[in-house]
Amino acid sequence: MVVNVGAREVNAPLNIHAGHVDFYQYRDDGWIHFLSRNAQESYDFAVIAQKAAERAMLPAFIIQDGFIVTHNKDMLDTLTDEQVMGFVGEYNPEFSILKTGGTYNPVALQDYYSEHARSMTESQRALPGILDEVFAEFATLSGRRYHRVNNYRTEDAEVVIVTMGSTEGTAMDAVDELRLEGVKVGLLALKVFRPFPVEEICQALAHASTVIVMDRANSQGAELTPLALEVQSAIQRRVLSLEYGRGGRNTPLQLVKDIYRLGFILNSKVDAKTAQMLLQHPNAELSALVGELRLLQGDQFVDKFIEHL
């Protein structure tokens, strides 16, 4: 099964614009999660996901930010129907209730339920190799190569943003512009959220002094957002968790650049006077970001943050 998800906020209050809580509700249910940043990737993942899901015998989500990607007019490089059919192939499952019959609505009690749960875990553990194979096969067909993460200019980066979805493109532009100024920043964008790419994340962030996780969601009652919680667990050190873009709120290029600059303040030894100037002066380049932090996290959070600096 392959399901295209226009990722939006959930009630209440009613909002039909972009939000990642929409698919986080299914993060532990065994689905493969593909994250596309634009229309081209949504198209490509529609082809890739079909083959990967059949090979892994697991269902797949193709997640697109609501309206930002789902309702976007964009140019596409498409394949012919014959190319797609040749790539995906006929579905001839080894295990099918149409062939062999099956057990419906089974009961598994204390003596054997753990073994069933364990088999689902093992299916997820086999996924990285399957996905890498299908990505390579698709690259041969289309010339477009995907990986489970987009590791963008992180090799010597001092500050790295981790994110998913449409903001990936904005963050790539921010990295390019800041690099022209001599600022060493990078981006790690997850193209696959499940299975979670722990090894790739650890490699990409190994040399970053500051890691900032931008998440278009929150986990009520938890200290960190869902993505930040898993990234921090993977790298075994603190990250800065920023909830952003809820309900489709715009995330302009300048804001992302300011977030990178915030990372350098965290990464540098600055005196209290300089920190106060950067964070509180009405004309400071970070004032918009601090205003957003106050709105999302509250005055106490920002005051403690400034005191920490």
Side-chain angles (χ1 to χ4, degrees):
M1 179 184 290
V2 176
V3 177
N4 282 276
V5 179
R8 308 182 184 192
E9 294 290 354
V10 297
N11 287 351
L14 175 64
N15 181 288
I16 59 172
H17 293 269
H20 286 178
V21 175
D22 206 0
F23 68 87
Y24 279 147
Q25 297 177 90
Y26 298 92
R27 60 181 169 171
D28 301 322
D29 287 352
W31 291 71
I32 311 169
H33 290 64
F34 294 94
L35 276 296
S36 57
R37 80 168 189 254
N38 54 29
Q40 182 68 65
E41 292 190 356
S42 297
Y43 171 85
D44 290 346
F45 286 162
V47 181
I48 291 168
Q50 190 72 43
K51 188 167 190 173
E54 291 177 2
R55 189 172 291 180
M57 293 188 293
L58 289 171
F61 284 140
I62 304 167
I63 300 159
Q64 310 159 49
D65 285 354
F67 284 96
I68 299 172
V69 176
T70 60
H71 289 61
N72 180 42
K73 291 184 178 181
D74 204 353
M75 299 293 291
L76 294 178
D77 289 328
T78 60
L79 303 169
T80 66
D81 290 351
E82 291 75 19
Q83 286 177 307
V84 172
M85 289 300 298
F87 177 78
V88 174
E90 292 293 332
Y91 185 40
N92 186 26
E94 180 180 357
F95 304 101
S96 170
I97 60 174
L98 298 178
K99 293 181 178 179
T100 63
T103 303
Y104 301 90
N105 195 27
V107 174
L109 298 179
Q110 299 92 327
D111 57 344
Y112 214 74
Y113 183 84
S114 291
E115 283 74 9
H116 284 288
R118 182 67 183 183
S119 69
M120 290 186 281
T121 300
E122 293 304 318
S123 296
Q124 282 283 329
R125 288 184 173 177
L127 264 175
I130 293 173
L131 293 174
D132 291 345
E133 289 175 0
V134 177
F135 282 149
E137 293 168 13
F138 184 79
T140 301
L141 172 67
S142 67
R144 295 185 291 276
R145 181 62 190 261
Y146 293 100
H147 302 275
R148 283 174 284 132
V149 300
N150 175 17
N151 188 4
Y152 191 69
R153 307 186 75 168
T154 63
E155 294 81 3
D156 62 342
E158 298 178 34
V159 177
V160 176
I161 282 178
V162 183
T163 194
M164 300 188 294
S166 59
T167 305
E168 175 186 351
T170 307
M172 290 172 69
D173 290 341
V175 168
D176 290 341
E177 291 192 11
L178 290 171
R179 283 280 179 169
L180 291 175
E181 301 174 16
V183 183
K184 293 182 178 180
V185 296
L187 168 71
L188 181 64
L190 274 61
K191 312 306 300 178
V192 176
F193 175 67
R194 282 289 186 271
F196 197 68
V198 173
E199 183 177 347
E200 290 75 13
I201 289 172
C202 290
Q203 291 176 354
L205 301 180
H207 304 295
S209 300
T210 302
V211 176
I212 301 174
V213 179
M214 292 179 61
D215 201 351
R216 200 183 286 270
N218 192 11
S219 181
Q220 302 297 336
E223 179 189 10
L224 303 175
T225 67
L227 181 58
L229 184 66
E230 299 208 28
V231 171
Q232 182 167 286
S233 176
I235 66 176
Q236 294 294 300
R237 57 190 174 97
R238 294 286 292 182
V239 304
L240 177 60
S241 174
L242 294 182
E243 175 188 357
Y244 82 100
R246 299 299 299 272
R249 177 171 293 181
N250 188 32
T251 309
L253 176 64
Q254 187 59 48
L255 177 61
V256 179
K257 292 172 69 175
D258 287 345
I259 290 173
Y260 274 116
R261 292 190 175 99
L262 172 64
F264 274 94
I265 294 177
L266 288 171
N267 189 28
S268 304
K269 293 181 179 180
V270 297
D271 57 79
K273 183 178 180 181
T274 302
Q276 293 284 342
M277 180 190 70
L278 285 170
L279 292 170
Q280 292 188 319
H281 193 279
N283 295 320
E285 60 187 2
L286 295 178
S287 60
L289 174 60
V290 174
E292 190 82 358
L293 282 173
R294 287 191 185 278
L295 177 64
L296 293 173
Q297 304 286 357
D299 291 338
Q300 186 178 9
F301 174 87
V302 175
D303 292 342
K304 284 187 176 180
F305 178 68
I306 294 172
E307 181 182 350
H308 169 72
L309 291 175

